[in-house]
Amino acid sequence: MVHYHQICTEVTPQCPIVDTTYGYRPNLAANIILLVIFSVCTLAQIFLGVRHRLRAFTVATAVGCGGEAIGYGGRIMMHVNPWSQAGFKVQICCLVLAPSFLAAGIYLTLKHLVIFFGAEKSRIRPGLYTVIFISCDVLSILVQAGGGGIAASDESNLVKIGDDLIVAGISFQMVTMFVCMCLAVDFGYRVFKHHSMRDVTMAEVEEGRELPRSFRYYAICSSVAFVCIFIRCIYRVPEMAGGWGAPLMRQQAEFMVLDGAPSMIATAAILMTVAHPGIFFPAIGSRNRKAALIERDAASPIESLQADAVNEKSRV
């Protein structure tokens, strides 16, 4: 179908919608809603990030949400003209790359969680979470960006190469996320086991298991967001592996659910915004990091988290 893109610039009897890459006109209302959702999340991430001084996390999440917003702007362009090459290139590049930045935002918080709850319970040193997973994420972004640039070219012989690079980048990202997920689950289990076994009485055991509701809310939301991004990667691999115009790529319902709304990336962006670490995990902020570490050395992580929750309420 590449030859159609070389001669078609708008929908005509000779260039019907069915012969476009997606084979349909993107739903206008759904894509406008997604554009608004990601735009609001972008602005909220910037505001909260500046307020709580989370530079790296803010850059990652704002770029991720902003990229999604631009991508759905491209799909709106394709609603107006399904043959729009500009709209196609914008949406394919942005929607492929943006989730990697959201994943990077979660990677950045792991280091501080490990430091806060005790590095001795982690399989790897805290600093390695940032070095390993951010490096892998950057590599996957570069591979996907290169593939997207090549695939969006007008040279038909390069499209397959670009497609293969995108699939390789997403597959690498999926493996990276799976390894990170395993390490995070293992660390969480070790923390839970440590607090379950360190006290003598049942009352103390139950107290050791308790966490402030605010932190539990943050942990659950971040975990669900990470899983949503992971599921999106699983969907993207067979979608892109089938090539441009493959049956899975031409299913609008599957795309909107697994890559847009009402779940996956839109859900991940919303959860990472409403459960912002600057609010629900204050120890990650540059204003609170030194004080939190000092407090952690003098008390248990549970007590420190409870103190963070009280301080946050008092500020509000």
Side-chain angles (χ1 to χ4, degrees), residues 95-287:
L95 298 185
V96 165
L97 293 175
S100 299
F101 289 94
L102 293 177
I106 296 177
Y107 294 146
L108 289 167
T109 64
L110 285 176
K111 169 185 174 181
H112 303 290
L113 284 169
V114 171
I115 291 174
F116 193 79
F117 282 100
E120 70 281 357
K121 304 176 190 70
S122 174
R123 297 282 182 181
I124 61 177
R125 296 196 306 273
L128 291 180
Y129 282 93
T130 301
V131 173
I132 294 175
F133 295 113
I134 293 298
S135 298
C136 290
D137 206 48
V138 169
L139 179 59
S140 73
I141 289 173
L142 293 176
V143 173
Q144 292 177 67
I150 294 173
S153 68
D154 295 325
E155 298 295 329
S156 59
N157 60 321
L158 295 178
V159 172
K160 183 63 168 63
I161 297 175
D163 186 32
D164 290 341
L165 283 174
I166 292 175
V167 173
I170 296 175
S171 299
F172 183 67
Q173 180 189 7
M174 186 171 64
V175 172
T176 301
M177 294 186 72
F178 180 74
V179 173
C180 180
M181 194 183 304
C182 291
L183 288 172
V185 170
D186 177 74
F187 176 74
Y189 171 75
R190 285 167 173 259
V191 171
F192 176 81
K193 184 178 178 181
H194 170 76
H195 291 294
S196 296
M197 298 177 63
R198 66 187 175 88
D199 299 312
V200 178
T201 68
M202 285 300 297
E204 290 175 327
V205 170
E206 291 302 320
E207 182 182 356
R209 289 176 178 173
E210 288 294 324
L211 286 172
R213 290 184 179 180
S214 60
F215 179 80
R216 282 183 286 169
Y217 170 74
Y218 161 73
I220 292 172
C221 288
S222 296
S223 300
V224 174
F226 193 82
V227 172
C228 286
I229 299 172
F230 183 69
I231 293 174
R232 172 266 179 191
C233 290
I234 296 175
Y235 158 74
R236 273 295 193 177
V237 170
E239 183 211 28
M240 298 301 299
W244 305 109
L248 183 58
M249 185 175 286
R250 295 165 72 86
Q251 300 299 316
Q252 183 167 204
E254 283 80 351
F255 176 86
M256 297 304 288
V257 171
L258 295 172
D259 203 281
S263 56
M264 305 317 126
I265 302 304
T267 299
I270 293 171
L271 290 175
M272 292 177 70
T273 303
V274 299
H276 195 274
I279 299 173
F280 298 100
F281 183 43
I284 193 176
S286 58
R287 282 188 299 183

Side-chain angles (χ1 to χ4, degrees), residues 31-58:
N31 285 285
I32 289 177
I33 291 173
L34 285 165
L35 172 61
V36 171
I37 287 174
F38 286 113
S39 297
V40 171
C41 287
T42 302
L43 296 176
Q45 287 289 345
I46 293 173
F47 171 77
L48 292 171
V50 171
R51 179 183 180 185
H52 297 283
R53 300 183 185 179
L54 303 182
R55 298 181 186 87
F57 179 85
T58 301

